[in-house]
Amino acid sequence: MKILVIGSGGREHALAWRLAKTPGLQKVFVAPGNAGTARERELENVNITDPEALADFAAKHKVHLTVVGPEAPLAAGIVNLFRDRGLKIFGPTREAAQLESSKDFAKRFMARHNIPTARFATFSDSSAAHAYVDQQGAPIVIKADGLAAGKGVVVAMNLADAHDAINHMLPASGDSTAKDSAPARVLIEEFLEGEEASFIVMVDGKNALPLASSQDHKRIGDGDTGPNTGGMGAYSPAPVVTPEVHARAMREIILPTVRGMAADGIPYTGFLYAGLMIGKDGSVKTVEFNCRLGDPETQPIMMRLKSDLLTLFDHALAGRLNLVEASWDRRVALGVVLAAANYPGTPRTGDLISGLPQNSEDCHVFHAGSSESDGRIVTAGGRVLCVTTLSDNVKQAQRRAYDLIVGIHFDGMQYRRDIGHRAISR
C-alpha cells in the first residue's frame, strides 16, 4: 500500500513520518518534500507540484490515499481534480476550502449560521475602510482577504497602525497603478480579548473527530512581540482548552460548521482548524478557520498521536469517523521553530545547516524550509526547522528542545526562547 503526501513543509514532514509507522505500508511519497523527508528512510520525495501531474502519479503508482498538507492546492481545487478521476484524497473541495481562502466567505458563513466570532465589516474601497477604522477606534484587527500563509493579519493597537495596515493591504481609492497582487478586500474586525488556542478536527462530511488541543505562538519575538508569522512554535495539549472549553468548541463552533456547510450544499471533508479565542469566562469565539492542519501545531500533535493515522483517514473517507477515536500519549509535546535570517520578511536562503541531532522516539527535528545542495543541507525558506520533543510536562519538554537547539547552527538563525510560556505561567 502506498500513500502520497502533498507539500514541502514541517506539517507534511510530520504527517508523512507518522503515516510511515503504519504496519505493512509499502511507501510514503512526499511531493515535493524537503531535505528532512529526503533523509527519512521510509519516505521518498517526488519532485512534482503540478496538480494534473500529481493525479497522474497517484494513478500510475496505485496510491491508496493522497493527503493534502498546504492550503494553496486545496484552494486551487486539487481535491475536485482527484475525485473527478476516481482517486482517493483527503481534504476539502475548492468550494469548501473557501472557509480559509476567503475570510469574507468565512465570516458571512459564521454570521448566517450563528457561529460565535468577532463583529466585522468588509471593504474594497480604502477610503471607506479608513473611515470605518476612525469610527470604531483601536485596538482593531485588519485582515487581508485571501490566503496569506498565516501572515495577512495586523492586530493594530493604535489608529496609526490600523491605517498603515489598510494602506499596505488595499490600493488607494482610484489608484490605477496599484499592484495586481494587492488583495481586493480587507476585513476589519473587533479586537477580541482572551487567550488563543488551536482546535483541529477531522471531518467526513457529517461527523467530526477532534485531535489533541494545541497552542501556537504567532509573533516573531519573545513575550508575543513583533510582527505575525506563520507560527514560531507550539505545544500540545493546551491547558487553556479545558474539558468545558472543548465541549463548547465542539457544540458551538465545530458541529454547527459541519452542519452548516452541508446545509449550504458544500459538504466538508478534511482537516478543519478553528482558531479559538477563549475568554476569561470560558466563552469561545472563532478567530479564523483553516482548511488544513496547522503548522507548527502538526508537529507536536503527530508526536503525541498513538492511533494508526491511516486508520483514521480510512474511516474519514468512508464517512465513519463516528466509529473511531484517536488515542494520545499522555506526555506533552513541544516544538520550537528555527527561522531564517530576515524572516518574516523575505528570508535569506542557502545558509548551511549544521549540528542536526539524531532523531529518536521522543525527539524529532522536522524540516520545512530546507533543501539539499551538493550533499549539504541548506536553508530554503522562512521557517527552516521545528525541534520537537516529548516529556512529562511543559517545562521538561521546553528544556529538552532548547538543549537540542544549542547544537544546531545556520547563519542568521532566529527563534523564540519562550515557547510554552503560557502553559508554564498558568
Side-chain angles (χ1 to χ4, degrees):
M1 188 183 296
K2 302 169 188 175
I3 305 295
L4 172 62
V5 176
I6 295 175
S8 63
R11 165 184 48 230
E12 292 77 40
H13 187 175
L15 273 170
W17 168 79
R18 176 52 64 185
L19 280 165
K21 296 181 179 295
T22 301
L25 198 63
Q26 183 180 353
K27 181 68 70 175
V28 178
F29 298 108
V30 190
N34 55 46
T37 53
R39 296 201 168 201
E40 298 270 5
R41 192 171 60 250
E42 304 87 353
L43 310 181
E44 181 179 328
N45 284 0
V46 179
N47 190 24
I48 303 173
T49 56
D50 176 72
E52 288 280 0
L54 286 166
D56 290 340
F57 179 90
K60 178 181 177 181
H61 291 270
K62 296 181 171 56
V63 167
H64 170 70
L65 167 68
T66 298
V67 181
V68 187
E71 59 273 26
L74 295 170
I78 195 167
V79 171
N80 305 61
L81 170 65
F82 271 59
R83 286 184 181 177
D84 288 346
R85 295 183 56 172
L87 299 168
K88 284 186 178 181
I89 187 167
F90 185 71
T93 61
R94 178 195 295 108
E95 295 75 21
Q98 290 179 95
L99 279 177
E100 178 173 7
S101 65
S102 172
K103 294 179 177 65
D104 181 65
F105 174 93
K107 296 293 284 192
R108 293 183 188 281
F109 170 85
M110 285 187 271
R112 192 163 61 250
H113 292 281
N114 298 311
I115 295 166
T117 189
R119 295 189 309 274
F120 75 103
T122 305
F123 298 92
S124 56
D125 179 83
S126 60
S127 297
H130 285 298
Y132 182 79
V133 162
D134 285 333
Q135 179 189 47
Q136 296 297 311
I140 199 163
V141 180
I142 316 296
K143 295 183 176 182
D145 194 28
L147 299 178
K151 293 178 284 185
V153 177
V154 173
V155 180
M157 301 309 292
N158 56 64
L159 286 176
D161 287 347
H163 289 303
D164 285 346
I166 293 168
N167 289 335
H168 179 72
M169 296 179 190
L170 271 183
S173 300
D175 181 4
S176 60
T177 65
K179 294 181 179 179
D180 292 339
S181 60
R185 293 179 294 196
V186 295
L187 271 76
I188 302 178
E189 294 184 352
E190 70 169 315
F191 174 78
L192 296 177
E193 294 199 55
E195 189 170 347
E196 288 192 59
S198 305
F199 199 91
I200 305 172
V201 300
M202 298 177 72
V203 182
D204 65 12
K206 56 183 182 298
N207 305 297
L209 175 70
L211 303 184
S213 65
S214 57
Q215 194 164 47
D216 188 11
H217 300 65
K218 284 291 186 189
R219 301 295 186 105
I220 187 71
D222 291 351
D224 300 317
T225 57
N228 267 352
T229 70
M232 293 300 294
Y235 58 92
S236 173
V240 69
V241 183
T242 63
E244 294 76 19
V245 168
H246 188 285
R248 289 192 73 162
M250 288 295 291
R251 183 177 67 249
E252 298 177 13
I253 296 173
I254 299 298
L255 294 178
T257 298
V258 175
R259 289 193 293 263
M261 291 294 282
D264 288 353
I266 316 173
Y268 191 97
T269 59
F271 291 110
L272 179 64
Y273 169 128
L276 303 182
M277 184 64 77
I278 302 164
K280 290 181 179 179
D281 59 355
S283 61
V284 292
K285 288 190 176 182
T286 314
V287 176
E288 64 177 352
F289 283 126
N290 291 332
C291 293
R292 31 82 194 190
L293 283 166
D295 187 344
E297 294 96 331
T298 304
Q299 292 87 314
I301 288 173
M302 289 297 112
M303 286 286 283
R304 290 189 61 222
L305 181 64
K306 295 178 71 175
S307 301
D308 177 58
L309 183 54
L310 182 56
T311 297
L312 301 183
F313 282 131
D314 284 340
H315 275 75
L317 290 174
R320 298 186 302 164
L321 279 176
N322 57 316
L323 301 180
V324 69
E325 290 185 1
S327 61
W328 303 96
D329 193 307
R330 63 169 182 79
R331 292 175 292 174
V332 172
L334 181 143
V336 180
V337 168
L338 309 184
N342 303 326
Y343 183 77
T346 302
R348 192 173 71 210
T349 60
D351 289 313
L352 176 67
I353 303 170
S354 62
L356 290 170
Q358 278 292 117
N359 293 319
S360 67
E361 282 300 310
D362 53 8
C363 63
H364 207 99
V365 179
F366 294 107
H367 288 235
S370 72
S371 64
E372 290 201 52
S373 176
D374 299 323
R376 307 180 309 163
I377 299 179
V378 298
T379 62
R383 293 181 296 164
V384 180
L385 305 170
C386 184
V387 180
T388 313
T389 63
L390 268 173
S391 283
D392 286 333
N393 56 55
V394 176
K395 278 189 177 180
Q396 290 180 14
Q398 185 190 63
R399 187 180 307 117
R400 290 197 66 196
Y402 286 112
D403 285 347
L404 290 171
I405 289 170
V406 169
I408 301 172
H409 174 78
F410 54 87
D411 287 346
M413 185 174 88
Q414 54 176 325
Y415 59 94
R416 283 183 57 161
R417 290 160 174 80
D418 65 347
I419 301 302
H421 70 92
R422 295 188 198 93
I424 292 171
S425 64
R426 292 186 70 84

Short mmCIF file of all heavy atoms in Angstrom, two decimals, residues 160-183:
data_model
loop_
_atom_site.label_atom_id
_atom_site.label_comp_id
_atom_site.label_asym_id
_atom_site.label_seq_id
_atom_site.Cartn_x
_atom_site.Cartn_y
_atom_site.Cartn_z
N ALA A 160 -2.89 54.67 14.08
CA ALA A 160 -1.84 54.83 13.06
C ALA A 160 -1.48 53.48 12.44
O ALA A 160 -1.35 53.35 11.21
CB ALA A 160 -0.60 55.48 13.68
N ASP A 161 -1.33 52.45 13.29
CA ASP A 161 -1.00 51.13 12.77
C ASP A 161 -2.15 50.56 11.93
O ASP A 161 -1.93 49.87 10.93
CB ASP A 161 -0.69 50.17 13.92
CG ASP A 161 0.66 50.45 14.56
OD1 ASP A 161 1.44 51.22 13.97
OD2 ASP A 161 0.92 49.91 15.66
N ALA A 162 -3.38 50.84 12.34
CA ALA A 162 -4.54 50.37 11.58
C ALA A 162 -4.57 50.99 10.19
O ALA A 162 -4.79 50.31 9.18
CB ALA A 162 -5.83 50.69 12.33
N HIS A 163 -4.34 52.29 10.12
CA HIS A 163 -4.33 52.96 8.81
C HIS A 163 -3.16 52.49 7.95
O HIS A 163 -3.31 52.31 6.73
CB HIS A 163 -4.27 54.48 9.01
CG HIS A 163 -5.55 55.07 9.54
ND1 HIS A 163 -6.76 54.92 8.89
CD2 HIS A 163 -5.78 55.80 10.67
CE1 HIS A 163 -7.70 55.55 9.60
NE2 HIS A 163 -7.14 56.08 10.67
N ASP A 164 -2.00 52.24 8.57
CA ASP A 164 -0.86 51.71 7.82
C ASP A 164 -1.19 50.34 7.23
O ASP A 164 -0.82 50.03 6.09
CB ASP A 164 0.37 51.59 8.74
CG ASP A 164 1.02 52.94 9.02
OD1 ASP A 164 0.69 53.92 8.31
OD2 ASP A 164 1.84 53.01 9.95
N ALA A 165 -1.88 49.50 8.01
CA ALA A 165 -2.24 48.16 7.53
C ALA A 165 -3.18 48.25 6.33
O ALA A 165 -3.03 47.52 5.35
CB ALA A 165 -2.89 47.36 8.66
N ILE A 166 -4.15 49.14 6.40
CA ILE A 166 -5.07 49.32 5.27
C ILE A 166 -4.30 49.79 4.04
O ILE A 166 -4.52 49.29 2.93
CB ILE A 166 -6.19 50.32 5.64
CG1 ILE A 166 -7.09 49.73 6.73
CG2 ILE A 166 -7.02 50.68 4.40
CD1 ILE A 166 -8.04 50.73 7.34
N ASN A 167 -3.40 50.74 4.23
CA ASN A 167 -2.60 51.24 3.09
C ASN A 167 -1.78 50.13 2.46
O ASN A 167 -1.57 50.10 1.24
CB ASN A 167 -1.68 52.37 3.55
CG ASN A 167 -2.44 53.64 3.87
OD1 ASN A 167 -3.53 53.87 3.33
ND2 ASN A 167 -1.88 54.47 4.74
N HIS A 168 -1.30 49.20 3.30
CA HIS A 168 -0.47 48.10 2.80
C HIS A 168 -1.31 47.06 2.07
O HIS A 168 -0.87 46.48 1.07
CB HIS A 168 0.27 47.44 3.96
CG HIS A 168 1.11 46.28 3.56
ND1 HIS A 168 2.29 46.42 2.85
CD2 HIS A 168 0.95 44.94 3.76
CE1 HIS A 168 2.81 45.23 2.63
NE2 HIS A 168 2.03 44.32 3.17
N MET A 169 -2.53 46.82 2.55
CA MET A 169 -3.35 45.73 2.02
C MET A 169 -4.27 46.15 0.89
O MET A 169 -4.68 45.32 0.07
CB MET A 169 -4.19 45.11 3.14
CG MET A 169 -3.38 44.43 4.22
SD MET A 169 -4.47 43.76 5.51
CE MET A 169 -3.27 43.31 6.77
N LEU A 170 -4.62 47.42 0.84
CA LEU A 170 -5.55 47.91 -0.18
C LEU A 170 -4.93 49.03 -0.99
O LEU A 170 -4.30 49.92 -0.43
CB LEU A 170 -6.84 48.45 0.47
CG LEU A 170 -8.00 47.52 0.73
CD1 LEU A 170 -9.17 48.34 1.31
CD2 LEU A 170 -8.45 46.80 -0.53
N PRO A 171 -5.10 49.01 -2.31
CA PRO A 171 -4.65 50.17 -3.09
C PRO A 171 -5.49 51.38 -2.74
O PRO A 171 -6.66 51.26 -2.36
CB PRO A 171 -4.88 49.73 -4.54
CG PRO A 171 -5.95 48.69 -4.45
CD PRO A 171 -5.74 47.98 -3.14
N ALA A 172 -4.90 52.53 -2.85
CA ALA A 172 -5.64 53.76 -2.58
C ALA A 172 -6.80 53.88 -3.55
O ALA A 172 -6.73 53.44 -4.70
CB ALA A 172 -4.72 54.97 -2.72
N SER A 173 -7.89 54.43 -3.09
CA SER A 173 -9.08 54.58 -3.93
C SER A 173 -8.72 55.34 -5.19
O SER A 173 -8.11 56.42 -5.15
CB SER A 173 -10.16 55.34 -3.17
OG SER A 173 -10.51 54.64 -1.99
N GLY A 174 -9.04 54.75 -6.34
CA GLY A 174 -8.79 55.38 -7.62
C GLY A 174 -7.36 55.23 -8.11
O GLY A 174 -6.99 55.82 -9.12
N ASP A 175 -6.53 54.43 -7.40
CA ASP A 175 -5.13 54.26 -7.79
C ASP A 175 -5.03 53.20 -8.87
O ASP A 175 -5.13 52.01 -8.59
CB ASP A 175 -4.30 53.86 -6.56
CG ASP A 175 -2.82 53.69 -6.89
OD1 ASP A 175 -2.45 53.96 -8.05
OD2 ASP A 175 -2.06 53.29 -6.00
N SER A 176 -4.81 53.60 -10.06
CA SER A 176 -4.73 52.65 -11.18
C SER A 176 -3.35 52.03 -11.30
O SER A 176 -3.15 51.10 -12.07
CB SER A 176 -5.06 53.37 -12.50
OG SER A 176 -4.13 54.41 -12.73
N THR A 177 -2.38 52.48 -10.48
CA THR A 177 -1.03 51.94 -10.56
C THR A 177 -0.79 50.89 -9.49
O THR A 177 0.31 50.38 -9.36
CB THR A 177 0.01 53.06 -10.39
OG1 THR A 177 -0.10 53.61 -9.07
CG2 THR A 177 -0.20 54.16 -11.42
N ALA A 178 -1.83 50.56 -8.72
CA ALA A 178 -1.66 49.58 -7.64
C ALA A 178 -1.25 48.23 -8.21
O ALA A 178 -1.63 47.86 -9.31
CB ALA A 178 -2.96 49.44 -6.85
N LYS A 179 -0.47 47.52 -7.42
CA LYS A 179 0.00 46.21 -7.87
C LYS A 179 -1.16 45.25 -8.05
O LYS A 179 -2.12 45.24 -7.29
CB LYS A 179 0.99 45.62 -6.85
CG LYS A 179 2.29 46.41 -6.75
CD LYS A 179 3.22 45.75 -5.73
CE LYS A 179 4.53 46.50 -5.62
NZ LYS A 179 5.42 45.88 -4.62
N ASP A 180 -1.03 44.39 -9.08
CA ASP A 180 -2.08 43.41 -9.33
C ASP A 180 -2.23 42.44 -8.16
O ASP A 180 -3.29 41.87 -7.96
CB ASP A 180 -1.76 42.62 -10.60
CG ASP A 180 -1.85 43.48 -11.85
OD1 ASP A 180 -2.53 44.51 -11.79
OD2 ASP A 180 -1.23 43.11 -12.88
N SER A 181 -1.15 42.27 -7.40
CA SER A 181 -1.19 41.30 -6.31
C SER A 181 -1.89 41.84 -5.07
O SER A 181 -2.08 41.10 -4.11
CB SER A 181 0.23 40.88 -5.93
OG SER A 181 0.98 42.01 -5.51
N ALA A 182 -2.23 43.09 -5.03
CA ALA A 182 -2.89 43.66 -3.86
C ALA A 182 -4.23 42.99 -3.63
O ALA A 182 -4.99 42.78 -4.57
CB ALA A 182 -3.09 45.16 -4.04
N PRO A 183 -4.55 42.61 -2.38
CA PRO A 183 -5.84 41.98 -2.11
C PRO A 183 -6.99 42.88 -2.52
O PRO A 183 -6.90 44.10 -2.40
CB PRO A 183 -5.82 41.77 -0.59
CG PRO A 183 -4.37 41.81 -0.21
CD PRO A 183 -3.73 42.74 -1.17
#
